[in-house]
Amino acid sequence: MAALLCLIAIFPVLRLLVEGAMPQGKLGLGALDRVLSDPATWTAFGHTLWVSLAAMAISGLIGGAMALVVALGDLPARRTLVFGFTMLLIVPSQITTIAWIELLGPSSVLLKLFGLAPAPGARHPLYSATGITLLLGLEHAPLVFLSLRPALRVLPGDLIEAARAAGARPMRVVRTVVLPLVAPSLIAGMALAFVSTIGNFGTPALLGIPARFPMLTTLIYQRLSGFGPRVLSEVAALSLLLGVLAAGGVLVEAWLAGRRDVRVEGTASSIHLPLGRWRPVAVAAAWGFLALTLLMPLLALLATALVAAYGQPLGPATATLENFRFVLFDDPAAGRAIIDSLGLAAAAAAILFLVAVPVAYFAVWRGRRLMRLLVLAAELSYALPGVVLAIAAILIFIRPVLGLTLYNTLGIILIAYLARFFTLAQRPVAAAFRQLDFRLEEAAQMSGAGFVRRVMTVALPLVAPAAAAGGLLVFLTAFNELTVSALLWSAGHETLGVVVFSLEQAGENTVAAALASLTVVATVGLMALASFLTRHLATPVLPWQA
Amino acid sequence: MAGLILRTVTKRFADAAAPAVDAVSLDVAHGEFLAILGPSGCGKTTLLRLVAGFERPGAGEIRLGDRLVADGRTHVPPEDRHVGIVFQSYALWPHMTVGENVGYPLRTRGVRGAEYRSRVAAALDVVGLGSAVDRRPASLSGGQRQRVALARCLAMAPDLVLLDEPLANLDVHLKASLLDEFQEFRARTGATMLYITHDQSEAMALADRIAVMNQGRVEQVAAPETLYHAPATAFVADFIGRGGVVAATVPQRADQGRALIEIAGHRAFVRAVPEQAAGRALVCLRPEDLALADDGLPARCRRARYQGGEWLVDVTVEGQEGRPLQLLAKPGTVPEPGTPVRVRISDGWVIPG
Amino acid sequence: MAGLILRTVTKRFADAAAPAVDAVSLDVAHGEFLAILGPSGCGKTTLLRLVAGFERPGAGEIRLGDRLVADGRTHVPPEDRHVGIVFQSYALWPHMTVGENVGYPLRTRGVRGAEYRSRVAAALDVVGLGSAVDRRPASLSGGQRQRVALARCLAMAPDLVLLDEPLANLDVHLKASLLDEFQEFRARTGATMLYITHDQSEAMALADRIAVMNQGRVEQVAAPETLYHAPATAFVADFIGRGGVVAATVPQRADQGRALIEIAGHRAFVRAVPEQAAGRALVCLRPEDLALADDGLPARCRRARYQGGEWLVDVTVEGQEGRPLQLLAKPGTVPEPGTPVRVRISDGWVIPG
Amino acid sequence: ASGKLVLYTSQPDKIAAETIAGFNKHEPQVEVEIFRSGTTEIMNKIEAELVGGAPHADVLFIADAVSMEQLKADGRLAAYPGADLRAFPAGTYDPDKTYFGTKLITTGIIYNTAAPFKPASWKDLLKPEAKGQVVLPSPLYSGAAAIHMAAIEAMPSLGTSYYMQLAANGADAAKGNGAVVTAVAGGQKMYGMIVEFMALNAKVKGSPVDFVFPSEGVSAVTEPVAILKTAHNPEAARAFVDFILSKEGQELAVAQGFLPARTDVAPPAGFPKPADLRIMPVDLAKTAADADLLKRQFSDLFGG
Ligand SMILES: Nc1ncnc2c1ncn2[C@@H]1O[C@H](COP(=O)(O)OP(=O)(O)OP(=O)(O)O)[C@@H](O)[C@H]1O
Ligand SMILES: Nc1ncnc2c1ncn2[C@@H]1O[C@H](COP(=O)(O)OP(=O)(O)OP(=O)(O)O)[C@@H](O)[C@H]1O
Ligand SMILES: [Mg+2]
Ligand SMILES: [Mg+2]
C-alpha cells in the first residue's frame, strides 16, 4: 500500500515528463529547448533559487528559534505558544500577505503612528525581492517549527545534562548538543520550507508581480494563463526545472542528514534550560511574533468580515453580521465547501498519517533503496505549482482509470492531495526514525512480533508525535488549498479555497473574509476536538500537548 | 574547599508515594572518597542528581565547599557547579566522535590546540581507548561506551566527581585497573568523589567511607571496616558482606565491648557496643566468623554453591529458617543439603538498638 | 531440541580492522547454561546478536536445534527464532507502561485475558517490581529498568534465552535472588541459556560451562572448575579468578598429572596435563594455592587491599615484576608494601602448550 | 430539450446561479452542471481535457472574446447559424456565428474617495500626483485587461507609449480585477483600471471608491457564449444560448447590473446608455493573433 501511495505521488510527475518530452504524443524536445534557451526562464530560475534559499534560512531561523525556545526554555504558557505557532498555518497566506502590505504601506495606521509610514506614492517596501523573501520565510517558519518540535520532545534529558555538567551554558548546549541531535528534523523542516517556497505561488504573485520580479511559479502561471494551455509542454518543461531544484534540495538534505549518526539511546524526559535574564526577551519576542503574524492578520480578516464593503473603516456604524449571515444561510456552496474541505483535509491527513509511518520505516530503518527513491520522487509533486499538478491529474484521470471514474468527483481531489502532501507527512516521520534507537525495534522482533504488529505497536507510537505533526501540516495546508482544487472541483464538490477565491475574484472581499474567519474558527474547533480525543493517549501526540 | 554538605535534603517525584530521597544529611570532606551502596531504586542516582543540580530538592540544603548551591530559594545551575558526573546511562553524544565527547568539557572551558589534544589523548589512554578517538559511540561495545563516559568526566578535572556505577559493565581486570586510576586521579587532583556502585568489594577497596542507603534514607555512613564489622542496623548487616543476621538473646549487659549471646541454646562471645544492654537482639555473623565443626550451634545445611576455590554453604538455625547464615567450606568438606551440621562461632557483632 | 550450534561464525563490521567475532564454533546442548566471559569489546554482544538474528554472519553457520537459521544464504528473521534476549541497554519501549512492556511478547503470541494478566504479574513479581506495573520506564531507576527488561524476556518463555549482562546494575542480594530465579526458570522450562556477564562468581555459580572470549575468538569452553583449575591458555588463567601467571621451568616430564616446577630457584609440585613435557612453561598460581610463610618462593610485597574480612596482597617474584601474584592474608599479618616475603606454593597448574 | 448540460463559466457564483435558474424556467428538463472559475482556469481545464481526450464541457460562457477567438482558431467551437441575432449590433458576435457577445463589460477608472484628485481621462493616470498610485489588472490573468490594452494601443491619442508611460509613473500590475478593487478600496492604491460593475458594486455596498468612464472612451468585453464542437448535448446547448440571447435573458443581465448587448433592453440605473458610451474599437481577430506579443510587452513593462 505504501508503495502504491508513492506511485500515486510520482505518477503525475511522470505524466508531465511525458508531456514535456512528447507534446501531444509526438516525441520532440522542442519545448524543452525553447524553454531552456529563453533568458526569462533563467532569470526566474535564479530568482527562485536564491529567494528560496534565503527564505529557507529565515524560516529555519524563526521556526528553529521558536521550537527551541518553547521546547527547552522555561517560558510561561508554553502550550498556548505552541498552539499559536501551529495556528499560523491556518491563516491563508494571501490574508497574511495583504495584512503585511497594509501594515508596511503608506496607509499603515501603525507606521503613521510612529511617523514611519512611507510617503504616498513611494514604492511599497514589500514589493521587492527582499519583501518576497521575508514573507515567504515567515510563512514557512511553522513548517520548520512543526518538524522540529517532536524531535525535541524525544531528546533524552541526560544528554543535555551531561553537557551542562561539562560546564556548557544553555546557549552552548543548544549549539553543540541539541541542534546536532535534532539536525535531521531541522534539516527536514528546512527542506520542506525550501520545497514549499519554490512551489509557492500566492506570495510571488501578490508581491512579485508589482515588484516585477518573476519567479518560476509565476512564470509558469503566466505562461499557462497568458498563452493558454497550448504551451502545456513548455509548462511541463518549466515544471521540470522546479523539479530539479526540489530534487537538489532533497539530495542535499539526504546527504546532510545521512552524515551523522544521531540515534539516541535512553528515555526522553522533559528538559528545561533556564533562560535567565533572556527570559523576558524571549517571552516578548515569542508573543510579539505571534501578535504580528497571527493576531494582526486575523484581526484584519475579522475587520473585513464585519463591514459591508471592503475598505470601509470598522466602526459602530459600519459593523454588520450580514456577511456571516450570507455565508451561513444564503450560500449553499459555502456550507458544502466547508464540509468538503474538512472531509478532504481530514481524509488526506489520516491516510498520510498512516502511510507515512511504514514508508519512512522502510526508507530509514530498513534503508530500502527503492523506497528512498520513491520518497525522493514524491517530493516533486509538492514542489510543482498546484495548477500543474492539477493538469497532470486531469490528464491521468479524465478517462476512467481501472474502471473507476474519478474525474468530477471529490476522489480526484483527494488523490491529488495525497500526491501533493505526501511529503509533508512523510518528512517529520522520517526524521523521527533517524533519531530513534533501533534496539527498540529489535526488542519487538525478539518478542516475536511480525512486521505489521511491530509497526503498529512500536514504530507508530514512537513516531506518533512526528506523524501527528505531519498529519497536522497536511490537514491545515489542505484545508485552505486552492490551486489544485481550482481546476479539479466540480459542481456540488467545491472546496473552501475555491469558494473563497471565487468570492474574491468577484470583488466580494467581505464575504470571503467572513468565510475565511469561519474557517479559522472551524479549524480551532477541530484542533480542540483532536486534543480532546487524544488526551488519554500515553504519549502526548499533538504538538501543543505536554 | 570542595567538600560537600547535605542537610536534610528531600526529593519527592510528582507522582510518587514515598520520597526518592528522604531527609538525607551527609558531610563529605574535601578530597574524601565516599561510596554509596544500596539496593536498586533506593535513591542513589537521585541523590547524585541533586548534588549535580539536575534536580531541585524539595527541602533541605546543599553546600559545595562554602557555597550554598541549593535550598528552597537558591539553585545554582549545573554548569556553574563544576561537578563531573558519569551517568548510569553513559549519556554519550551520538553525533560526536569519541574524542569530541571526551574533549567537550575542555572546549567549554576554552582549552584549545595542543593542550586540548594531549588532554583528550591522555584521558582516553587511561581507559584504554586511545585508538578509538575517531570512532562514534554507536560503534562501541557497552563497556567501551562506559569507558568513554569515564574519560569525559576525568578529562574535565572537576573538584567533585560523581560516579554512577561507572564500572558496572567492565570485567574485573579492567575494573581493577580503572580503580587504580581513580585512586591516582584523586591523589593528583585532590578531588572529592561520590561513587555509586553495586560492587561491595569495589566500594571497600576504594572508599574512605561508605554510605548505605535504603528507601531514600541513609542508614549508616562509616569506614568500610566499621561497616563490615560493626553495622549499625540489621539492614546494613544484611546488605553488606555475606553472612547473615540471626536473633539471639543477650543474657547480660556487655562488658568492654564483648557480649555473651545465646542462639538455639548455644552460647558464644561476640563484639558489641560498650553500652549494649541485656535482652533480645539481632546478631550479625559473617562467613569468616563461622566454620563447620564437630560441636557448636546446631544448624541445617540448605545448599552449597561453588565460588571459585571454595564453596559457599547456606545453613539455617532451627526456628529461624527465614534468616540463613553463610559460611565457607573447602571442596570435599561440603555437607549434603538437608543434613544437620554444627557451626562454630568465633566472632560476631550485636546490632545495637 | 533447542540446542545451539555455531560453526566458524565470523562477523566483521564495515569499517573495522579486525573481525568482532572471529571463526567462533560452539556447541551448546539443549537446556545447557553457558556463560560467556571476556574483556570489554571482545565480541560477546555481537555473538549474541548473531544468534538472535540481528546481525548476519559474514561466514559460518548457526543452527538452533535442528533448524539452520543463518549461513551465507539463509537468514531466519529474529521474530521467527523464538529467542529471548535481554539487551545491555535494556531497550524498553518508552510509550508503554512496565506491564505493557512485559506483556508485549505474550500479546504477540495471542495470550489474553486472565492468563495474560497473571503471567505479567508473575514475571514482575519475580524481579520484585509487582507494584510498578503501571509506571513508565522513564520514571524507573537504572536497576529497575534492567529488571523490567529481564521480566519481559522471562515472560515470553523462550526456548533459548540470551542475556547480556542482565544483572550488571543490581546489588548483590537482588542479583543472588535473580540468579536463583534463573535456575528455577531453567529447571521449569528446560530452556537453553547464553549468559554474558562480567561477574565471574555469577558465572561460576550458575553456568554448566563457561566460554571465555578474547578478541573475537573463543579461548576455552569448559566447566567452571576446569576453567579455574586447569585453564587452557595464559589468557584464561589470567582472566579467570584472581591470582596470576608466572614463568617457570619444568625440569622433567610430568608424571601422572603432577609436575615439578622451578621458579626463582624455588621448587614445588603442581598439577599438569599428563603429557606435559619438560622445558619452559607458564604456571597459574591462585591465591588459595599460596600463603605467606617463613620459607618458600622469595617474593616482594607490592601492595595490599582490604577485601571485607581479608586482605588481598600482591607480590612479585624477582625478575618477573610484570606478573604479579595474589594471595590472601588475615588482618594483622599483612606485610608493608616493599618488604620481601616468602610464599608457600601448595598447588598450581602448568598451562599446557 | 432535456438531459445534462455542462456549462463552464467565469460568471461569479451568485450571478451564474441566477442565470441557470432563469434558463431552467424555460427548460426545466435540462439539468445544468456548472464549473465556475476564472477564465484562465477554465481555459486550462478545457485544454487539459482536450489533451486527455475527453472534453466535458458543452457550453462555454466566459469573459472575453479573445479566448474565444483562440478556441475558434483551434477549431474547437461549433457554429450556431440558427441563433437569433436580430437585436444585436454587429461586432458583438462572431460573423461566423461561433460565439455571441451577451453584454458589454467596460473597463474604466476606479479611484479611492480619498484620492488627491478625481480622474477624468486615461491621461490623468500619468499625472505626478498619481505616481505610484495606479494599479492595473494584468492581461496575463484577465481577458478584459488584454482587450483593454489592445484598445488603448489602438487609440491614436494614447497609443503604444501609454503603457510605457504608466510603467514609468510607477503603476503596478495586479493579478486580476478583484485584486484591483481590493487594492483601491483598501487604500493601498488610489487609482485603478477595472471593469465597471465590480467598482460600482463595491461603491453601492459602501466601499470608499467611485468609478469614472474616462473621456477618451472605455474598452468593452462582451462576455461571449459558445458551443463546443465536442458538446455531448448540442440541443440543450443551443437552447441555453437561445435563452441568454433572448430578451428575457438580457433583462436578467440588466437586473444583475450589466449593460445588455441587445439594443432593445434598457440599461440598469446609473449607467449611461450604450449609445452614449464611447467604446474604443478593437480588432478581435488581430488581438487574438497578437495576444502573445501583447502579453509579452506587458510583462516586460510590469513584470506580471
Ligand atoms: N556497529 C558497530 N560498528 C563497528 N564496530 C562495532 C559495532 N558494534 C560493535 N563494534 C566493535 O566490535 C567489537 C565487539 O563489540 P561487542 O559489542 O560485541 O563487545 P562486547 O564483548 O559485548 O563488549 P562489552 O563487554 O564492552 O559490552 C568492539 O571492538 C566494538 O567496538
Ligand atoms: N523521574 C522520576 N519520576 C518518578 N519516580 C522516579 C523518577 N526517577 C526515579 N524515580 C523513582 O525514585 C526512586 C529512586 O530512584 P533512583 O534512580 O535514585 O534509584 P537508584 O538508587 O539509583 O537505583 P538503581 O540502583 O536501580 O539505579 C525509584 O523508586 C524510582 O523508581
Ligand atoms: Mg541509579
Ligand atoms: Mg557488550
Side-chain angles (χ1 to χ4, degrees), chain C residues 299-315:
Chain C
R300 190 174 290 275
C301 176
R302 285 291 157 204
R303 64 168 183 178
R305 270 166 302 169
Y306 185 63
Q307 289 277 292
E310 295 162 317
W311 288 77
L312 190 67
V313 184
D314 283 11
V315 302

Side-chain angles (χ1 to χ4, degrees), chain B residues 140-144 169, chain C residues 40-46 88 164-165 196 198:
Chain B
L140 296 181
S141 79
Q144 287 164 340
N169 295 99
Chain C
S40 170
C42 71
K44 303 180 293 298
T45 299
T46 308
Q88 202 164 4
D164 199 351
E165 307 186 31
I196 296 182
H198 284 304

Side-chain angles (χ1 to χ4, degrees), chain A residues 158-170 172-173 176-177 180-181 260-265 274 439, chain B residues 49 54 77-80 83 85 87 89 91-96 104-105 107-109 112 136 138 145 152 156:
Chain A
D158 56 4
L159 294 182
I160 288 178
E161 291 173 348
R164 297 187 70 194
R169 316 224 145 259
R172 189 184 189 105
V173 175
T176 55
V177 174
L181 285 178
R260 300 210 141 159
D261 190 348
V262 293
R263 285 167 308 180
V264 287
E265 261 178 43
R439 277 195 197 84
Chain B
R49 292 173 55 79
F54 299 129
E79 60 268 31
D80 293 330
V83 161
I85 183 163
F87 289 84
S89 53
L92 299 182
W93 300 297
H95 60 291
M96 301 186 193
Y104 189 87
R107 287 208 179 271
T108 66
R109 293 187 169 68
R112 292 276 183 287
R136 304 229 163 236
R145 287 182 207 183
R152 178 174 66 187
M156 71 183 275

Side-chain angles (χ1 to χ4, degrees), chain C residues 198-216:
Chain C
H198 284 304
D199 185 332
Q200 300 185 12
S201 61
E202 219 170 275
M204 299 263 177
L206 273 172
D208 298 317
R209 288 189 303 158
I210 295 175
V212 179
M213 287 186 71
N214 187 26
Q215 296 185 354

Side-chain angles (χ1 to χ4, degrees), chain D residues 265-284:
Chain D
V265 177
F271 275 79
K273 284 227 178 66
D276 298 345
L277 273 179
R278 292 185 58 185
I279 307 263
M280 301 188 283
V282 182
D283 180 345
L284 286 179

Side-chain angles (χ1 to χ4, degrees), chain A residues 221 226 229 310 407 489 509, chain D residues 36 41 47 49 171 182 207 295:
Chain A
Y221 200 88
Y310 190 69
Y407 196 64
W489 74 277
N509 289 29
Chain D
R36 202 224 73 81
E41 280 86 4
E47 182 68 15
E49 288 180 354
T182 305
S207 286
K295 290 168 179 172

